[in-house]
Amino acid sequence: DAASLQGEQVLLRAYLRTADRAPHTPTHERLVKAARQQGLSGATVLRGILGSGSHGVIKHSAWSLLEHVPVIVEIVDASERILKFVEGSLAQLMQNGMLTLERANVMLYRHGKHPQPTSLQLGGPLKPLSTLPRIKENGPMKVNENGVLLRVFIGESDRFENKPLYEAIVGKVRELGLAGATVLRGTEGFGAHSVVHRASLLEMSTDLPIVIEIVDTEAQITRLLPSLEGMVREGMITMEYVVILLYRDQSPAGSAAPS
């Protein structure tokens, strides 16, 4: 029901790799299928170009038959429906990776065939995490409510010490022992100079928008901030308080993610 979804809801984000299997189909595909079968409002899959986590640094390779690039699955729905999904289908499918839960005030949710009249309004201020469901630790899943999601918005052409800035930031995240970082490349965007860059028009351009997502405890994120302050000369950094659900890697070749 489009009208019932409007208002304070929950955004679930699953951080995985395209190579993750459960058991033979990619985990992110199985999550999307399970979300649809359970009747959730929708799911979005975002592919990254670079990431750092429990498996080390993962980067897209044109020579690999099995891609090992980071992938994020986003689902927005009511708190009780997200809770049922996390403790049910998701717990059975997800063997490693990380989940975050954050507030998502749905301002508009329409089906094309049945547009709902509405007046767009910003959501009211609420205490961080106050509307998120309480998740019980179970098996490989560990819950940490003291989490922060940091998003760094930069350009692909930005550099630091003779290397791409996004690679330098991922390297610093790994050096400091944070849980991980995911780099997402946009296809169009503009920044402080209002110059629009499009992948379709600038195939050889390296100035497309980049978003780096970093998730860890508040203490760990605080350790990273001085480095970011010195590295990001132009761009924007945002933060959200999140609940972190960390799945320890259950594969024999994997190693546990940093805590």
Side-chain angles (χ1 to χ4, degrees):
D1 185 342
S4 65
L5 191 65
Q6 288 179 214
E8 191 69 30
Q9 309 300 344
V10 174
L11 166 59
L12 178 150
R13 295 165 64 84
Y15 292 81
L16 301 160
R17 301 174 306 156
T18 49
D20 289 337
R21 295 290 189 268
H24 304 297
T25 305
T27 302
H28 69 275
E29 292 184 7
R30 292 174 67 94
L31 289 183
V32 171
K33 181 179 180 181
R36 186 178 184 188
Q37 291 175 339
Q38 196 166 311
L40 297 182
S41 64
T44 302
V45 177
L46 306 171
R47 287 176 180 261
I49 60 170
L50 179 67
S52 172
S54 61
H55 294 272
V57 175
I58 50 178
K59 189 174 184 178
H60 169 73
S61 171
W63 304 103
S64 175
L65 295 178
L66 184 63
E67 279 195 312
H68 289 266
V69 296
V71 62
I72 300 172
V73 181
E74 291 192 350
I75 301 172
V76 176
D77 215 308
S79 177
E80 63 273 10
R81 291 162 64 84
I82 292 292
L83 176 62
K84 180 180 179 181
F85 182 67
V86 169
E87 295 184 342
S89 301
L90 193 146
Q92 298 174 16
L93 294 173
M94 198 161 169
Q95 298 300 313
N96 58 73
M98 180 168 58
L99 301 174
T100 62
L101 300 176
E102 60 186 279
R103 292 172 48 198
N105 193 298
V106 179
M107 299 167 59
L108 180 70
Y109 180 64
R110 289 176 172 171
H111 298 290
K113 296 181 180 179
H114 304 286
Q116 300 289 326
T118 186
S119 176
L120 290 179
Q121 295 181 348
L122 296 178
L126 290 173
K127 182 180 179 181
L129 310 184
S130 61
T131 60
L132 299 184
R134 297 293 178 180
I135 307 292
K136 297 179 181 179
E137 292 192 359
N138 181 23
M141 183 176 69
K142 304 300 179 185
V143 180
N144 190 329
E145 296 187 354
N146 182 33
V148 171
L149 165 60
L150 207 67
R151 290 187 177 99
V152 183
F153 297 81
I154 58 174
E156 194 170 9
S157 64
D158 293 341
R159 301 185 69 80
F160 180 77
E161 294 183 349
N162 298 318
K163 67 172 61 175
L165 177 57
Y166 67 87
E167 290 188 4
I169 291 175
V170 170
K172 179 59 67 172
V173 166
R174 185 160 176 78
E175 175 188 325
L176 294 177
L178 272 68
T182 303
V183 179
L184 306 169
R185 177 193 280 126
T187 58
E188 181 176 355
F190 73 90
H193 298 295
S194 297
V195 177
V196 176
H197 300 281
R198 295 185 180 93
S200 58
L201 299 179
L202 301 172
E203 294 293 345
M204 302 304 292
S205 173
T206 58
D207 206 21
L208 294 172
I210 291 285
V211 180
I212 308 165
E213 298 199 349
I214 305 162
V215 179
D216 211 312
T217 63
E218 186 173 355
Q220 286 286 75
I221 293 294
T222 300
R223 291 180 59 228
L224 176 66
L225 295 183
S227 297
L228 291 181
E229 187 173 359
M231 298 169 77
V232 179
R233 297 183 178 89
E234 180 178 329
M236 181 170 60
I237 300 175
T238 67
M239 58 87 56
E240 296 285 346
Y241 288 107
V242 297
V243 171
I244 299 174
L245 310 180
L246 184 67
Y247 281 74
R248 299 295 186 181
D249 188 356
Q250 299 298 294
S251 61
S255 59
S259 58

